[in-house]
Amino acid sequence: MADTRRPLSPHLQVYRWQVQMVSSIVHRVTGVALAFGTLLVLWGLLELAGGERSFEQFKICIGSPAGMLLLFGWSWALFYHLCNGIRHLIQDTGAGYEIPQFVRSSWLSVIGSIVLTVLVWAYVLMAGGVA
């Protein structure tokens, strides 16, 4: 058998990173993060059903800096996955496959998710709704 000294399949090191590639990878990662973050929401609901004392303990945990970081990251993942999912729905109609449109829509997903996350957290913090 001939030794070609090439990988049998392409690897990430071969490709130049582009926003389209990163948006696809991040979409998958945020989907997994949403699945794990749902466990956090479920924990909160179970503690709420357990009574005031157990829910107070949950609020202390989720109000800590680590808990706030988890909530912030989960909300960004939710908004990114939403924006990128809408982008995919539009592409399912056959629109937006030209390279400039694809790059633009990828960046719009990133920017839109950041804007939505900041707006929601600004409202939550101004309303005093965190723990």
Side-chain angles (χ1 to χ4, degrees), residues 20-100:
Q20 307 93 307
M21 178 179 167
V22 174
S23 70
S24 176
I25 293 169
V26 172
H27 185 78
R28 293 160 202 249
V29 170
T30 56
V32 172
L34 288 175
F36 284 112
T38 302
L39 297 174
L40 186 68
V41 173
L42 180 63
W43 176 38
L45 290 173
L46 290 172
E47 295 299 321
L48 184 61
E52 188 174 336
R53 184 175 295 150
S54 63
F55 189 64
E56 284 298 321
Q57 195 66 21
F58 172 75
K59 285 178 19 178
I60 290 170
C61 289
I62 212 67
S64 70
M68 295 289 289
L69 186 63
L70 280 173
L71 280 178
F72 187 82
W74 189 72
S75 60
W76 176 78
L78 176 69
F79 286 125
Y80 180 80
H81 206 75
L82 173 71
C83 292
N84 208 41
I86 291 170
R87 180 176 76 91
H88 279 287
L89 283 175
I90 292 169
Q91 288 176 338
D92 285 344
T93 67
Y97 276 110
E98 291 79 27
I99 298 294

